[in-house]
Amino acid sequence: MYVDLGSALDATPGVSRDSLERLDDQVATAHDRIEAGRNDHDHGYAALNLPARVDLDAIRSAVAPFADAEAVLTVGIGGSGLGAATLANALAGPDDPDAYVLDNVDPEHVARLLDSLPLARTAVNVVSKSGTTVETLSNFLVVREAMADAGVDWTDRTLVTTGESGNLRQLADAHDLPLLSVPDGVPGRFSVLSSVGLAVAAIQGHDLDAICAGAADTADGLSGSLFETPAYAYGAATYALAARGATTNVMMPYAERLETFAEWFAQLWAESLGKDGLGQTPARALGATDQHSQLQLYRAGPREKVVTLLRPTHRPDRPIPETDLDGLSYLGGSTLGDLIDAEFGATEASLAASGVPAIRVEIDGVDERSLGALLYGMEAACVLYGELAGVSTFTQPAVEWGKRAARGLLGGGDVPAAEAVEDRASLRIDP
């Protein structure tokens, strides 16, 4: 992963080279805290040890029964699904099993998806660390029933990824299901480089060693200076820009296969850093598509954004055919790759010309090693940002409040949070 902060230096809001050099002392102190947390395998910091600690043989063994899969369905929500989806959508080739994630409980969507799947040839990976996540367990019960109705033995098609105790662990033990453990000390949004994110990649046949090697390269490169560590450069610069008013971070990959990565990033950034009135709101865009829908706002709207422009430097290409249409002859001899690179450059220049801060992030390609480096790099950047901001990066109290409220509304006990929902004010306007 490569990071270029040049377009953030003279922007409004912006961060100067001098201020970054002053901030670097704080980065060094934060790095020491991060390293101490990693050495002690403390909660949250343990995620940054995953490249060396993940048991790839256990993952390969657990997915071996699904070698015949034509589709793989992850039943999980948040970090239990987004990491797997990011890797699957970025890496899937035309001959790989199609990957789907059931992470919402919209009944119409669930029904349509299950009706479209070849259930007898679908591997189901149900993921919940606690084994009690209401959306995940509800969807899994529906999937299990759909398989039974289709004459499919669900126990032959199900992999469980969960914690050391709970309903899913008991279910797996009772039915002798293939089982993977969610690592201790790793919040779900930081779990992509563990069994949580890698099982689907394994079923699709991707190179797990290369994913972890890319992550390990980034881990080995962490140092106490933002000028030596791209991940820290990104985390420190976004922190500094947020402190100066850039409270929205637009993640804009210029590769269709990285669109789900922007979703993964949005959870990582929002759930980790949105505490105590602080944080940076992640927004998702896709280059070049959203140059035609959102760039107007970024360039001419409120000055509270930084735009992260992400692209691979190498990708498969396709030539643009010659044409005799008036005004289009200049396209002959160029390629779609040339065009999307020009679009990337135009967006970067457009933002710079209007004084909007942008950060360029580049990876070598959309492949296993580069994705491992990118995912680990953004996790490290997020942890550094949290250290600099003084927030509790690895907790999510607002999310837990919502979970309790939902359980209470469903009759899962006497929950005060549910009463707050029922007692809300209303101002209804009827036609």
Side-chain angles (χ1 to χ4, degrees):
M1 184 175 89
Y2 312 90
V3 171
D4 187 337
L5 304 178
S7 294
L9 297 179
D10 298 317
T12 306
V15 55
S16 68
R17 171 80 187 222
D18 287 345
S19 64
L20 288 174
E21 289 177 351
R22 291 192 297 271
L23 182 60
D24 206 32
D25 289 337
Q26 296 178 51
V27 171
T29 301
H31 173 68
D32 289 341
R33 291 196 297 267
I34 292 169
E35 289 302 289
R38 291 180 65 192
N39 290 336
D40 293 338
H41 205 65
D42 288 342
H43 179 76
Y45 300 100
L48 299 182
N49 293 329
L50 280 175
R53 290 177 176 262
V54 63
D55 188 343
L56 298 182
D57 289 336
I59 295 172
R60 295 186 184 103
S61 177
V63 306
F66 310 108
D68 65 339
E70 296 175 6
V72 54
L73 176 63
T74 298
V75 184
I77 195 167
S80 295
L82 276 173
T86 295
L87 288 169
N89 292 342
L91 296 173
D95 298 324
D96 295 333
D98 295 325
Y100 305 89
V101 176
L102 202 51
D103 60 355
N104 205 341
V105 289
D106 178 344
E108 182 179 16
H109 169 69
V110 172
R112 285 176 178 269
L113 178 57
L114 292 178
D115 287 345
S116 72
L117 291 176
L119 294 177
R121 294 292 186 185
T122 296
V124 176
N125 179 26
V126 55
V127 186
S128 170
K129 183 174 185 177
S130 66
T132 61
T133 307
V134 63
E135 299 90 349
T136 299
L137 272 294
S138 298
N139 274 335
F140 177 58
L141 292 174
V142 172
V143 171
R144 194 170 71 170
E145 181 180 63
M147 285 190 154
D149 290 346
V152 178
D153 186 345
W154 66 272
T155 65
D156 290 337
R157 309 306 306 170
T158 301
L159 163 69
V160 170
T161 305
T162 192
E164 292 302 317
S165 61
N167 294 329
L168 280 181
R169 172 70 63 163
Q170 295 170 13
L171 182 76
D173 290 341
H175 295 278
D176 196 25
L177 303 177
L179 179 66
L180 287 169
S181 294
V182 176
D184 290 334
V186 178
R189 59 190 176 277
F190 287 90
S191 65
V192 60
L193 296 169
S194 74
S195 56
V196 175
L198 295 175
V200 172
I203 293 172
Q204 288 188 310
H206 302 306
D207 189 342
L208 304 190
D209 292 293
I211 295 170
C212 290
D217 289 343
T218 305
D220 292 343
L222 295 181
S223 77
S225 172
L226 71 91
F227 296 105
E228 298 173 357
T229 309
Y232 285 173
Y234 186 80
T238 49
Y239 160 76
L241 287 165
R244 290 160 173 77
T247 53
T248 297
N249 187 342
V250 180
M251 176 56 69
M252 192 170 186
Y254 274 72
E256 200 86 17
R257 289 196 287 156
L258 293 176
E259 187 172 14
T260 310
F261 165 81
E263 296 183 34
W264 173 87
F265 173 86
Q267 184 196 5
L268 178 75
W269 222 244
E271 197 169 2
S272 300
L273 304 175
K275 319 277 169 65
D276 305 322
L278 300 172
Q280 198 175 45
T281 301
R284 292 170 283 175
L286 179 66
T289 302
D290 288 317
Q291 287 174 229
H292 296 268
S293 62
Q294 298 180 32
L295 184 58
Q296 175 66 36
L297 172 67
Y298 304 155
R299 194 174 193 271
R303 293 305 180 98
E304 40 73 58
K305 300 174 187 67
V306 54
V307 181
T308 301
L309 300 170
L310 167 64
R311 71 170 174 184
T313 55
H314 298 91
R315 67 175 102 210
D317 209 347
R318 189 178 183 104
I320 300 173
E322 300 280 354
T323 179
D324 57 2
L325 293 174
D326 290 342
L328 294 180
S329 60
Y330 71 94
L331 292 173
S334 57
T335 69
L336 291 178
D338 296 332
L339 178 56
I340 200 167
D341 283 343
E343 301 270 20
F344 180 96
T347 298
E348 191 172 48
S350 175
L351 294 169
S354 57
V356 177
I359 299 175
R360 178 190 290 203
V361 178
E362 294 178 321
I363 57 176
D364 290 336
V366 185
D367 55 39
E368 287 95 338
R369 196 172 192 113
S370 294
L371 278 171
L374 176 65
L375 293 164
Y376 186 96
M378 286 300 172
E379 289 183 352
C382 182
V383 174
L384 178 78
Y385 186 128
E387 295 289 334
L388 295 174
V391 300
S392 181
T393 308
F394 306 115
T395 62
Q396 51 282 334
V399 175
E400 298 304 326
W401 191 98
K403 289 180 179 179
R404 291 193 298 272
R407 284 197 295 271
L409 291 171
L410 288 168
D414 183 14
V415 182
E419 296 177 6
V421 177
E422 294 174 333
D423 295 341
R424 72 173 183 86
S426 175
L427 177 59
R428 176 172 172 145
I429 313 299
D430 290 322

